[in-house]
Amino acid sequence: MSSTEVPDPDIVNPIRPHQDDAAKRYSMAEVERAQSVPEDIEEKGERADYGKVDSEVAKYSSSAQVVISPEDNVRLRKLIDRRVLVVMVTTYFLQAIDKGTLSFSSIMGLPKDTGMLTPAGKVSQDFSWLTTCIYITILVVEYPQNYILARVPVAKYLGFSIIAWGAVLAFHAACHNFLGLVIVRTLLGLFESACQPAFVILSAMWYKREEQASRVTYWYMMNGAQQIVGGLLAYCFTLITDGPLKSWQWLFMAYGIISVFFGFFVLWWMPDSPMRAKCFSEEDKHLMVERVRGNQTGLQNRTFKKDQVWDALTDPQTWCYAGIQFTTTLPTSGLGAFANLIISGSLGFTNLQTQLLAMVLGFYIIIVLLGSVWLVKKFNQNILVMLGFVIPSFVGTILLMTVPNETLAQHVGLLISYYITLSFWAAQTLGLSMMSRNVGGQTKKSVVVATNFIFWSAGNAIGPQVFLSREAPKYFTAFATHLGCYAALVLILLFFRFYLSRQNKKRDQLAAAGVSEAHDERLAHAFEDLTDRENPNFRYVY
């Protein structure tokens, strides 16, 4: 950089690497590759500083980018999918179906059997607290959870959490009053709070940037699969009319026991990281590490760095991700918890019809999420796709608030309107995938992820509370609040796109001016645990 150039204040000054990396042991292939590096690059200092690289990562990483053939890349991705993606998809399906049990049980007699009906026979406001208490718990424990996740074997911790929440879910069947349900729901929130943050970490650890949007979508669309399978199973459980347990008790028991067994499977099947994966050869582990070098978001580093905490808290990215989650989860949680009450009470369908109609909603959610990731792949536009999918949510919500509900045609039309309100889920999912792709530095990532899920839990906690029991079955206040959330979401997305585009242009200008750190094709510093703002070679996806 010439003396006349002024450093960009939005980009933290890049840390110059040390030249002494004698402690690193190279394979013969790496030595040959290092000898072939042009001298002018060596003089510019474009070499990895292994003092800043995690010891496990350093063992399997090279001094610079390794070219992996397309055939090997596909082979490695399939190996990873079998060990990691399968677990993430199944785990999230179980968590989604576990959470869905409350909605299904709401019309299977749970409110009546646990004393949550008003004298008029309607579900009381206490029912909404069964969802809210989960997310209040998550709000409190999210920072400690992310601190732990950054420092323990992720797969082992995830397996333990699944076993614990499965046991707690089964204990729902033993509850006979509101207090007992609040206790088990709070414990459920404690153990389930590790799931999504762990998945964001795993997605960034195992997958390339261009693969992460689809992988996050695959496990997130289990919310839709839950509606399909959960609706069918709930219909079957509804047919249980006698025996020692009520139908809703069998529902909780069955899902809880299945979750416990799956948790033990995760402990056995899923590797903690590419470096610790005993199921893969040493060469494949080396290639799996090198696959994600281009992400430039780091892979693993257990050292807590205070400067990265400040970086996270002062980065507009952090608060944009948090805003996206808050404005999407507030509508999601209320619509999820009250879905069956809205369909059966407001739209006039029977209980059995309601359980089956939930399956149609599941198919719609899957179509929305798969459609959004296809559009992202085709046009390489994340935020514009997110904005496009918010439009049907505006339309559906306005129709629910304004169209009368008197004839069969209006019943059907309002049901379709209810379905399309959930189109905004595309924004929620793509927001998570952008976070895994755009945040560098392990300490910074843990803070950003924790902040994201604190706002996620706050939205989920507030969501059911805006469904006021006195307004049943129309819930005007709730849907008006949702319209406000969608409007706020649009403003956040417009600012976010402007901000990320501006950051990329500034870095491109540095590269054009001859600043080597802003145009490092060898990606020598990719594993040095630099944050995205410390690394001028980093480019954001938007």
Side-chain angles (χ1 to χ4, degrees):
M1 181 182 294
S2 66
S3 59
T4 60
E5 293 179 47
V6 179
D8 192 318
D10 288 332
I11 301 176
V12 179
N13 290 331
I15 301 172
R16 297 281 183 174
H18 299 296
Q19 297 301 311
D20 181 15
D21 57 0
K24 170 67 178 173
R25 295 182 179 178
Y26 296 97
S27 67
M28 287 304 296
E30 290 166 2
V31 170
E32 291 172 3
R33 185 165 52 250
Q35 290 174 341
S36 67
V37 174
E39 292 182 3
D40 62 329
I41 292 180
E42 294 280 351
E43 290 171 0
K44 290 178 182 177
E46 293 183 3
R47 297 175 64 193
D49 177 8
Y50 286 98
K52 299 185 181 110
V53 180
D54 179 85
S55 58
E56 289 185 1
V57 176
K59 181 180 177 182
Y60 290 99
S61 63
S62 302
S63 57
Q65 186 174 22
V66 173
V67 176
I68 301 174
S69 69
E71 294 78 15
D72 269 341
N73 194 52
V74 171
R75 179 182 64 84
L76 294 168
R77 189 180 67 236
K78 288 181 178 179
L79 288 175
I80 294 168
D81 283 346
R82 281 197 291 269
R83 287 281 175 173
V84 179
L85 183 62
V86 168
V87 169
M88 290 198 294
V89 167
T90 309
T91 301
Y92 201 74
F93 172 74
L94 287 175
Q95 187 183 62
I97 207 168
D98 290 351
K99 288 180 178 177
T101 52
L102 184 64
S103 180
F104 288 122
S105 64
S106 67
I107 58 173
M108 294 170 67
L110 181 143
K112 179 181 177 181
D113 295 336
T114 54
M116 286 187 291
L117 291 181
T118 66
K122 295 182 179 180
V123 176
S124 70
Q125 197 67 26
D126 287 344
F127 181 77
S128 65
W129 280 101
L130 297 183
T131 298
T132 297
C133 66
I134 285 183
Y135 297 108
I136 291 176
T137 304
I138 295 174
L139 190 149
V140 173
V141 303
E142 199 58 56
Y143 270 118
Q145 282 281 31
N146 278 271
Y147 183 86
I148 293 170
L149 280 168
R151 284 155 185 82
V152 300
V154 179
K156 301 297 184 295
Y157 193 69
L158 181 63
F160 161 76
S161 299
I162 296 170
I163 293 169
W165 93 50
V168 169
L169 189 70
F171 280 121
H172 280 58
C175 297
H176 298 286
N177 54 46
F178 174 69
L179 177 61
L181 285 170
V182 167
I183 292 172
V184 292
R185 299 299 287 179
T186 300
L187 290 174
L188 194 66
L190 171 64
F191 295 120
E192 287 190 346
S193 64
C195 179
Q196 286 182 313
F199 286 2
V200 173
I201 293 170
L202 289 167
S203 297
M205 178 186 292
W206 288 96
Y207 291 103
K208 299 167 70 174
R209 288 179 100 185
E210 58 267 29
E211 298 167 347
Q212 288 177 34
S214 58
R215 266 59 193 174
V216 171
T217 299
Y218 292 155
W219 57 260
Y220 209 79
M221 72 182 187
M222 289 302 103
N223 286 294
Q226 178 271 134
Q227 291 285 345
I228 299 170
V229 178
L232 183 61
L233 291 177
Y235 173 79
C236 295
F237 280 105
T238 303
L239 300 177
I240 299 175
T241 56
D242 54 14
L245 298 176
K246 302 291 180 67
S247 59
W248 63 267
Q249 290 176 310
W250 283 114
L251 187 72
F252 282 111
M253 283 281 290
Y255 291 167
I257 292 170
I258 292 171
S259 297
V260 169
F261 280 106
F262 182 73
F264 283 107
F265 171 78
V266 172
L267 291 175
W268 169 70
W269 180 255
M270 189 180 191
D272 292 304
S273 70
M275 298 78 70
R276 293 189 176 190
K278 296 180 181 179
C279 51
F280 302 135
S281 68
E282 290 296 299
E283 178 62 20
D284 280 351
K285 287 193 281 187
H286 168 69
L287 293 176
M288 286 174 182
V289 169
E290 286 298 328
R291 272 184 92 242
V292 298
R293 178 185 289 273
N295 295 355
Q296 298 190 80
T297 54
L299 201 156
Q300 173 180 288
N301 194 296
R302 295 193 168 96
T303 303
F304 182 80
K305 299 177 179 178
K306 292 182 180 179
D307 58 318
Q308 291 196 10
V309 175
W310 179 248
D311 192 329
L313 295 177
T314 57
D315 190 348
Q317 265 202 108
T318 303
W319 307 109
C320 286
Y321 292 128
I324 291 169
Q325 291 304 310
F326 182 81
T327 54
T328 55
T329 55
L330 193 154
T332 298
S333 62
L335 291 172
F338 285 82
N340 290 334
L341 292 177
I342 293 170
I343 295 173
S344 62
S346 178
L347 303 183
F349 293 95
T350 68
N351 285 356
L352 294 182
Q353 288 173 336
T354 299
Q355 301 284 28
L356 295 177
L357 285 171
M359 298 171 65
V360 181
L361 177 60
F363 281 113
Y364 179 73
I365 291 171
I366 290 175
I367 291 170
V368 164
L369 297 183
L370 288 179
S372 66
V373 78
W374 180 82
L375 289 170
V376 167
K377 284 184 177 181
K378 184 173 179 62
F379 299 106
N380 197 28
Q381 292 289 340
N382 291 265
I383 293 179
L384 291 182
V385 170
M386 293 160 76
L387 285 167
F389 276 92
V390 177
I391 295 172
S393 298
F394 277 106
V395 175
T397 304
I398 292 171
L399 290 174
L400 285 171
M401 296 174 68
T402 58
V403 174
N405 184 25
E406 299 170 354
T407 66
L408 177 60
Q410 289 172 339
H411 288 344
V412 175
L414 288 171
L415 178 65
I416 295 172
S417 298
Y418 173 74
Y419 288 160
I420 67 173
T421 59
L422 291 167
S423 298
F424 66 85
W425 275 37
Q428 192 175 81
T429 308
L430 292 175
L432 288 175
S433 72
M434 283 181 64
M435 182 171 61
S436 72
R437 291 176 283 169
N438 278 343
V439 180
Q442 297 307 298
T443 300
K444 178 178 180 179
K445 183 175 292 184
S446 68
V447 174
V448 174
V449 171
T451 303
N452 177 85
F453 284 109
I454 283 175
F455 277 75
W456 176 87
S457 61
N460 275 301
I462 296 170
Q465 300 302 318
V466 300
F467 281 82
L468 305 177
S469 57
R470 65 177 181 271
E471 294 184 350
K474 292 297 288 185
Y475 298 112
F476 185 87
T477 299
F479 289 119
T481 304
H482 293 179
L483 285 177
C485 287
Y486 304 147
L489 176 61
V490 169
L491 295 177
I492 292 169
L493 292 176
L494 290 174
F495 167 77
F496 200 15
R497 191 174 192 279
F498 165 77
Y499 173 77
L500 294 181
S501 174
R502 182 168 172 263
Q503 294 304 305
N504 280 358
K505 287 177 182 177
K506 289 181 176 181
R507 293 162 190 243
D508 290 342
Q509 289 170 359
L510 288 176
V515 180
S516 60
E517 293 93 337
H519 187 63
D520 176 15
E521 294 181 351
R522 298 174 69 238
L523 304 175
H525 311 301
F527 295 130
E528 291 180 12
D529 199 40
L530 300 175
T531 71
D532 50 280
R533 294 206 290 179
E534 288 176 329
N535 182 5
N537 198 48
F538 190 89
R539 300 296 187 274
Y540 297 101
V541 295
Y542 59 86

